[in-house]
Amino acid sequence: MSIIGSYLRLAPAEFARALEEPGWVREFAREQAALEHRRDPSELRFHDTGKSWAALAHLLARRGLPTEPVHGGTPLPGDEDWGYGPPTLLAPDRVAAAVRELADLPFDTLAAGLTPADLAAAEVYPVRLWADDPSALDHLSAHYTDLLRYLTRTARYRHGLLIWYS
């Protein structure tokens, strides 16, 4: 079984409600997932980083950048574990700040000097991927590009994020 990093864009009223009624957002996420196949690709509310979430956080941390775009910000108050810990919320202003910090940071710069063997040696999840797949950095680059695109769209809408691992 794999641990997947998952995201849901929340409009300001939804974000506020999630803070006030943490139990509500789980059902809301399920409802939104059911609607996702009907949305235009530019309007998708869900995103996932697959198994690359830990490596993305590692890359950001090694450059001294906040890992909030991967790990989230504030734990969802009073909510239970959704698979691998409780979900977190990233406020709209933090999403916008992350986009400003990452907008001019291409993957090649972010990962300069890094090899899959370095990720394996640092025991970054999933270690076997980095040890066994010579094209692993290509996959990681694609996930970084997709995440940055998703964060940019989220910031443009002035939305916040619900982030969880399952």
Side-chain angles (χ1 to χ4, degrees), residues 8-12 14-15 18 25 28 45 89 159-162:
L8 173 64
R9 274 192 304 114
L10 296 173
E14 296 161 351
F15 191 89
V25 79
F28 180 71
R45 295 187 70 170
L89 293 168
H159 284 182
L161 290 173
L162 175 71

Side-chain angles (χ1 to χ4, degrees), residues 51 54 116-117 119-133 136:
K51 297 181 283 187
L119 292 170
E123 297 184 1
V124 174
Y125 175 84
V127 175
R128 189 177 340 164
L129 174 67
W130 315 121
D132 295 345
D133 186 353

Side-chain angles (χ1 to χ4, degrees), residues 40-54:
D40 180 88
S42 67
E43 295 301 318
L44 295 176
R45 295 187 70 170
F46 280 93
H47 180 73
D48 76 70
T49 55
K51 297 181 283 187
S52 297
W53 58 271

Side-chain angles (χ1 to χ4, degrees), residues 58-145:
H58 181 82
L59 289 176
L60 295 173
R62 79 189 265 267
R63 292 283 181 187
L65 296 166
T67 59
E68 288 178 326
V70 178
H71 291 305
T74 306
L76 190 62
D79 206 22
E80 75 269 4
D81 187 319
W82 282 24
Y84 293 92
T88 61
L89 293 168
L90 191 58
D93 63 322
R94 296 304 308 148
V95 173
V99 169
R100 285 190 301 274
E101 289 185 74
L102 300 177
D104 295 322
L105 184 60
F107 182 79
D108 292 343
T109 301
L110 185 64
L114 187 76
T115 67
D118 296 329
L119 292 170
E123 297 184 1
V124 174
Y125 175 84
V127 175
R128 189 177 340 164
L129 174 67
W130 315 121
D132 295 345
D133 186 353
S135 64
L137 288 184
D138 294 334
H139 299 294
L140 189 56
S141 174
H143 279 290
Y144 175 74
T145 300

